[in-house]
Amino acid sequence: MEKISNQKLEIGVKEHGAELCSIIRKSDGREYMWQASPEYWKRHSPVLFPIVGSLWNKEMRQDGKTYTMGQHGFARDMDFELIEKSADTLRYRLTSSEETKRLYPYDFILEIGYKLADNKVTVEWKVKNPSEQEIHFQIGAHPAFNYMNYNPEAETIGYFKFDKEDDTYTLSLVGEKGCLKEGRAQLATDKGILPINRHSFDNDAIILENDQVHSVTLLDTDKKAYLTLRYEAPVIGLWSPARDGYAPFVCIEPWYGRCDRENYTGEYSQKDWMQHLAPGKEFDVKYSIEIL
């Protein structure tokens, strides 16, 4: 694992998946990232590419061919190349290969960067199209953060605070085979504050589409803020494993993409929230994690 630090934070990233594995506050040694115990979930912060979520029957169709791919794509399970390391930056690269072409038909260059400044980690995604045809893809984040003062017996283990102080949000619902149901539901909050309780994730992830929220803050049981994730992605997923009591972590997931709708059998390029990149062009976005 490669590490960089400043006066306030130390972060660790591994080449496998270019995955952010650790954010430590140096003043007290507190670890903010989930440490991937397989008892609950074996990952820290996987990068989701070239799909977000599940394909219907794990199949994608493009230009008369059918490809098979598991949930969230293949990038999280591949070794990236470290291409830059400095006092405040780590940057990794994954390039298309014969192996990726068996799963996904396009040439691509995917670069993942981590930049440290003061009490903030900025995560940078760059997708490049080196080919002579348009390529299509989705990309998303899946960072898992430890609860503050974890108590699996508590009625409420913490709160989400959204940047918009609305009382209701439109909720997309996960259905069969991890794909999206038809229709929507209403998610009620107290001016953008949503308690996290043992039933929050009974229906899998909480999915908010259409730019309803652009930052999520985690609050402890006293409603004191301890971490904020800011992003420009149009979709956000909030998730923790549903079980009796609580898993010790919760995920805040900005997505440029989303799972298939139930029974979707159309072209991959026509999926909801698909990103399209012309030959020679770059897709360049970022999100940030601020320790409060």
Side-chain angles (χ1 to χ4, degrees), residues 139-194:
I139 190 167
H142 204 315
F145 303 109
N146 295 323
Y147 286 118
M148 194 70 67
N149 302 321
Y150 172 62
N151 177 5
E153 304 302 323
E155 287 299 319
T156 298
I157 202 166
Y159 300 84
F160 297 118
K161 184 179 186 300
F162 302 146
D163 55 332
K164 299 175 184 176
E165 296 183 355
D166 296 338
D167 289 327
T168 58
Y169 295 79
T170 301
L171 182 64
S172 302
L173 300 175
V174 179
E176 189 178 351
K177 301 179 183 179
C179 294
L180 206 72
K181 293 181 180 179
E182 290 296 327
R184 297 292 185 270
Q186 294 297 303
L187 178 69
T189 74
D190 180 9
K191 294 185 172 142
I193 296 178
L194 178 67

XYZ file of all heavy atoms in Angstrom, residues 139-194:
439
model
N -19.319 5.060 -14.250
C -18.293 5.033 -13.215
C -18.906 5.520 -11.911
O -19.798 6.380 -11.907
C -17.060 5.884 -13.613
C -15.901 5.650 -12.642
C -17.418 7.356 -13.753
C -14.566 6.195 -13.148
N -18.452 4.939 -10.819
C -18.998 5.323 -9.520
C -18.034 4.990 -8.392
O -17.045 4.286 -8.576
N -18.340 5.520 -7.232
C -17.548 5.286 -6.022
C -18.362 4.476 -5.025
O -19.594 4.466 -5.073
C -17.128 6.614 -5.400
N -17.649 3.837 -4.095
C -18.306 2.989 -3.097
C -17.547 3.062 -1.761
O -17.255 2.034 -1.141
C -18.337 1.548 -3.609
C -19.414 0.686 -3.038
N -19.708 0.651 -1.682
C -20.256 -0.206 -3.637
C -20.680 -0.223 -1.479
N -21.032 -0.754 -2.657
N -17.183 4.269 -1.289
C -16.396 4.359 -0.057
C -17.230 4.033 1.182
O -18.375 4.460 1.319
C -15.933 5.817 -0.039
C -16.981 6.546 -0.815
C -17.427 5.589 -1.891
N -16.612 3.257 2.082
C -17.271 2.816 3.316
C -16.613 3.510 4.508
O -15.383 3.450 4.657
C -17.169 1.305 3.461
N -17.423 4.139 5.352
C -16.911 4.916 6.475
C -17.391 4.336 7.801
O -18.560 3.953 7.940
C -17.375 6.369 6.356
C -16.967 7.017 5.068
C -17.906 7.299 4.087
C -15.637 7.324 4.818
C -17.535 7.882 2.892
C -15.253 7.908 3.620
C -16.203 8.190 2.650
N -16.477 4.285 8.755
C -16.830 3.797 10.088
C -17.823 4.735 10.754
O -17.717 5.958 10.640
C -15.574 3.704 10.961
C -14.589 2.673 10.470
O -14.988 1.624 9.985
N -13.305 2.961 10.598
N -18.792 4.158 11.462
C -19.649 4.962 12.316
C -18.837 5.522 13.482
O -17.896 4.886 13.976
C -20.788 4.119 12.885
C -21.874 3.765 11.895
C -22.127 2.428 11.572
C -22.659 4.741 11.297
C -23.132 2.085 10.680
C -23.665 4.405 10.406
C -23.895 3.081 10.101
O -24.877 2.744 9.212
N -19.218 6.668 13.954
C -18.635 7.222 15.153
C -19.315 6.584 16.365
O -20.545 6.491 16.409
C -18.828 8.747 15.177
C -17.986 9.483 16.182
S -16.228 9.490 15.767
C -16.200 10.498 14.296
N -18.525 6.104 17.317
C -19.060 5.502 18.556
C -20.039 4.365 18.225
O -21.201 4.367 18.655
C -19.743 6.568 19.423
C -18.794 7.698 19.783
O -17.620 7.458 20.057
N -19.287 8.919 19.757
N -19.550 3.401 17.475
C -20.369 2.290 17.002
C -21.007 1.519 18.155
O -20.341 1.069 19.075
C -19.498 1.354 16.176
C -20.162 0.059 15.776
C -21.293 0.058 14.966
C -19.647 -1.162 16.203
C -21.895 -1.127 14.580
C -20.232 -2.359 15.819
C -21.362 -2.331 15.006
O -21.954 -3.519 14.645
N -22.329 1.369 18.084
C -23.089 0.611 19.078
C -24.155 -0.190 18.333
O -25.183 0.354 17.926
C -23.750 1.541 20.103
C -24.613 0.761 21.097
O -24.651 -0.468 21.095
N -25.314 1.482 21.957
N -23.932 -1.503 18.123
C -24.872 -2.295 17.319
C -26.243 -2.459 17.949
O -27.171 -2.913 17.275
C -24.161 -3.643 17.186
C -23.242 -3.710 18.356
C -22.800 -2.307 18.601
N -26.396 -2.099 19.221
C -27.689 -2.232 19.887
C -28.507 -0.945 19.860
O -29.665 -0.928 20.292
C -27.473 -2.656 21.352
C -26.664 -3.928 21.514
C -27.292 -5.111 20.804
O -28.528 -5.216 20.790
O -26.531 -5.921 20.239
N -27.947 0.135 19.367
C -28.624 1.436 19.411
C -29.842 1.459 18.486
O -29.866 0.799 17.446
C -27.659 2.540 19.018
N -30.849 2.233 18.874
C -32.016 2.417 18.012
C -31.651 3.242 16.775
O -32.108 2.961 15.670
C -33.140 3.110 18.784
C -33.817 2.215 19.814
C -34.475 0.997 19.181
O -35.096 1.153 18.107
O -34.358 -0.103 19.739
N -30.849 4.270 16.970
C -30.336 5.092 15.875
C -28.834 5.155 16.019
O -28.318 5.436 17.098
C -30.930 6.513 15.921
O -32.353 6.424 15.771
C -30.368 7.389 14.814
N -28.117 4.890 14.925
C -26.660 4.803 15.014
C -25.970 6.054 14.465
O -24.765 6.216 14.578
C -26.168 3.549 14.278
C -24.787 3.145 14.808
C -26.192 3.723 12.776
C -24.352 1.763 14.415
N -26.738 6.957 13.887
C -26.207 8.191 13.324
C -27.215 8.797 12.376
O -28.387 8.376 12.329
N -26.763 9.780 11.596
C -27.657 10.500 10.691
C -26.907 10.863 9.407
O -25.696 11.106 9.424
C -28.159 11.801 11.326
C -28.934 11.618 12.607
C -28.262 11.493 13.830
C -30.327 11.577 12.612
C -28.970 11.328 15.015
C -31.043 11.410 13.796
C -30.352 11.283 14.985
O -31.050 11.113 16.162
N -27.664 10.932 8.304
C -27.213 11.592 7.090
C -27.748 13.017 7.105
O -28.908 13.242 7.467
C -27.767 10.916 5.831
C -27.316 9.498 5.619
C -28.239 8.460 5.600
C -25.979 9.202 5.401
C -27.840 7.155 5.367
C -25.571 7.892 5.168
C -26.501 6.866 5.166
N -26.937 13.958 6.651
C -27.407 15.327 6.446
C -27.139 15.713 5.002
O -25.999 15.709 4.551
C -26.701 16.303 7.391
C -27.220 17.737 7.288
C -26.508 18.651 8.269
C -27.142 20.043 8.268
N -27.086 20.703 6.952
N -28.212 16.017 4.254
C -28.087 16.397 2.852
C -27.888 17.903 2.728
O -28.303 18.672 3.611
C -29.333 15.984 2.069
C -29.636 14.504 2.140
C -30.944 14.043 2.135
C -28.609 13.570 2.224
C -31.231 12.685 2.190
C -28.881 12.212 2.284
C -30.204 11.768 2.277
N -27.291 18.330 1.629
C -27.019 19.752 1.447
C -28.294 20.561 1.219
O -28.335 21.762 1.527
C -26.027 19.980 0.309
C -26.460 19.355 -1.004
O -27.184 18.349 -0.976
O -26.062 19.868 -2.066
N -29.327 19.925 0.676
C -30.597 20.612 0.480
C -31.532 20.268 1.623
O -31.737 19.091 1.927
C -31.218 20.214 -0.864
C -30.339 20.580 -2.057
C -30.926 20.057 -3.355
C -29.986 20.351 -4.514
N -30.473 19.775 -5.784
N -32.107 21.264 2.247
C -32.918 21.040 3.452
C -34.383 20.791 3.095
O -35.299 21.427 3.616
C -32.770 22.225 4.402
C -31.346 22.392 4.915
C -31.202 23.514 5.926
O -32.202 24.233 6.168
O -30.094 23.674 6.462
N -34.604 19.832 2.186
C -35.971 19.471 1.802
C -36.549 18.483 2.809
O -35.815 17.761 3.493
C -35.977 18.844 0.412
C -35.527 19.823 -0.669
O -35.608 21.045 -0.434
O -35.088 19.362 -1.736
N -37.873 18.425 2.858
C -38.536 17.467 3.752
C -38.786 16.124 3.083
O -38.960 15.114 3.767
C -39.861 18.044 4.265
C -39.649 19.179 5.252
O -38.648 19.125 6.004
O -40.456 20.125 5.259
N -38.840 16.106 1.756
C -39.044 14.847 1.037
C -38.131 14.802 -0.188
O -37.853 15.832 -0.811
C -40.504 14.660 0.582
O -40.887 15.740 -0.257
C -41.444 14.561 1.775
N -37.701 13.592 -0.513
C -36.870 13.326 -1.675
C -37.499 12.152 -2.424
O -38.204 11.333 -1.828
C -35.436 12.975 -1.257
C -34.714 14.119 -0.582
C -34.961 14.423 0.762
C -33.808 14.892 -1.280
C -34.311 15.475 1.385
C -33.137 15.945 -0.663
C -33.401 16.233 0.664
O -32.763 17.279 1.283
N -37.225 12.066 -3.733
C -37.756 10.977 -4.538
C -36.767 9.818 -4.521
O -35.599 9.981 -4.870
C -38.016 11.440 -5.976
O -38.949 12.513 -5.954
C -38.583 10.289 -6.800
N -37.256 8.660 -4.105
C -36.429 7.484 -3.870
C -36.642 6.460 -4.982
O -37.775 6.097 -5.292
C -36.807 6.885 -2.512
C -36.046 5.662 -2.010
C -34.585 5.999 -1.782
C -36.684 5.155 -0.714
N -35.549 5.992 -5.593
C -35.607 4.894 -6.558
C -35.419 3.585 -5.812
O -34.608 3.505 -4.884
C -34.517 5.063 -7.624
O -34.677 6.299 -8.291
N -36.148 2.547 -6.210
C -36.235 1.315 -5.409
C -35.551 0.143 -6.098
O -35.804 -0.152 -7.267
C -37.702 0.965 -5.159
C -38.517 2.020 -4.408
C -39.977 1.607 -4.345
C -37.953 2.230 -3.008
N -34.679 -0.536 -5.359
C -34.014 -1.733 -5.857
C -34.994 -2.904 -5.776
O -35.679 -3.101 -4.777
C -32.754 -2.044 -5.038
C -32.073 -3.317 -5.546
C -31.783 -0.866 -5.092
N -35.036 -3.680 -6.867
C -35.964 -4.804 -6.918
C -35.258 -6.106 -7.218
O -34.179 -6.399 -6.687
N -35.836 -6.893 -8.123
C -35.353 -8.233 -8.423
C -33.963 -8.197 -9.052
O -33.661 -7.341 -9.883
C -36.347 -8.912 -9.370
C -36.084 -10.379 -9.609
C -37.117 -11.019 -10.515
O -38.133 -10.358 -10.817
O -36.888 -12.170 -10.938
N -33.094 -9.120 -8.633
C -31.738 -9.291 -9.175
C -30.908 -8.025 -9.072
O -29.995 -7.785 -9.876
C -31.796 -9.765 -10.628
C -32.523 -11.089 -10.805
C -32.573 -11.513 -12.270
C -33.365 -12.799 -12.441
N -33.465 -13.221 -13.857
N -31.166 -7.202 -8.048
C -30.392 -5.989 -7.845
C -30.659 -4.899 -8.849
O -29.875 -3.940 -8.956
N -31.756 -4.997 -9.596
C -32.099 -4.005 -10.609
C -33.265 -3.136 -10.141
O -33.912 -3.417 -9.136
C -32.411 -4.695 -11.931
S -30.952 -5.504 -12.647
N -33.528 -2.070 -10.884
C -34.456 -1.044 -10.421
C -35.907 -1.397 -10.724
O -36.237 -1.793 -11.850
C -34.112 0.288 -11.076
C -34.527 1.531 -10.276
C -33.637 1.690 -9.062
C -34.449 2.774 -11.152
N -36.766 -1.224 -9.728
C -38.201 -1.397 -9.917
C -38.780 -0.226 -10.706
O -38.223 0.873 -10.733
C -38.921 -1.436 -8.563
C -38.625 -2.633 -7.698
C -39.434 -2.526 -6.401
C -39.185 -3.702 -5.475
N -39.955 -3.567 -4.218
N -39.925 -0.471 -11.309
C -40.698 0.628 -11.876
C -41.318 1.425 -10.733
O -41.617 0.904 -9.667
C -41.799 0.092 -12.794
C -41.279 -0.520 -14.086
C -40.578 0.493 -14.973
O -40.979 1.673 -14.965
O -39.617 0.094 -15.659
N -41.525 2.720 -10.975
C -42.154 3.554 -9.955
C -41.137 4.112 -8.977
O -39.971 3.726 -8.948
N -41.591 5.037 -8.149
C -40.749 5.708 -7.176
C -41.485 5.808 -5.840
O -42.701 5.622 -5.765
C -40.369 7.120 -7.653
C -39.542 7.152 -8.940
C -38.151 6.580 -8.728
N -37.318 6.711 -9.917
C -37.231 5.815 -10.863
N -37.948 4.687 -10.799
N -36.438 6.003 -11.910
N -40.735 6.099 -4.779
C -41.313 6.304 -3.462
C -40.821 7.649 -2.934
O -39.945 8.296 -3.519
C -40.915 5.173 -2.515
N -41.389 8.075 -1.822
C -40.984 9.314 -1.176
C -40.148 8.997 0.062
O -40.500 8.116 0.856
C -42.196 10.159 -0.800
C -42.989 10.693 -1.989
C -42.154 11.631 -2.848
O -41.633 12.638 -2.374
N -42.022 11.282 -4.127
N -39.055 9.704 0.210
C -38.188 9.575 1.376
C -38.360 10.830 2.222
O -38.034 11.935 1.776
C -36.723 9.427 0.944
C -35.693 9.332 2.065
C -35.841 8.012 2.810
C -34.279 9.472 1.509
N -38.866 10.650 3.434
C -39.117 11.785 4.322
C -37.900 12.050 5.194
O -37.271 11.126 5.719
C -40.340 11.498 5.205
N -37.548 13.332 5.342
C -36.453 13.737 6.221
C -36.894 14.922 7.066
O -37.948 15.521 6.829
C -35.196 14.141 5.417
O -35.416 15.421 4.802
C -34.851 13.109 4.357
N -36.087 15.266 8.027
C -36.305 16.467 8.834
C -35.378 17.552 8.298
O -34.249 17.695 8.724
C -35.998 16.177 10.306
C -36.215 17.391 11.193
O -36.768 18.406 10.713
O -35.801 17.339 12.379
N -35.860 18.276 7.288
C -35.069 19.325 6.636
C -33.711 18.810 6.184
O -32.681 19.420 6.411
C -34.911 20.525 7.575
C -36.227 21.210 7.850
C -36.010 22.463 8.680
C -37.254 23.193 8.756
N -37.924 23.856 9.508
N -33.746 17.666 5.532
C -32.534 17.100 4.968
C -31.740 16.226 5.917
O -30.671 15.730 5.541
N -32.221 15.972 7.115
C -31.546 15.089 8.067
C -32.322 13.779 8.160
O -33.522 13.766 8.436
C -31.425 15.740 9.455
C -30.524 16.982 9.372
C -30.855 14.748 10.475
C -30.370 17.725 10.674
N -31.616 12.676 7.912
C -32.231 11.350 7.851
C -31.572 10.433 8.881
O -30.368 10.176 8.797
C -32.051 10.766 6.455
C -32.603 9.357 6.219
C -34.132 9.355 6.297
C -32.134 8.819 4.862
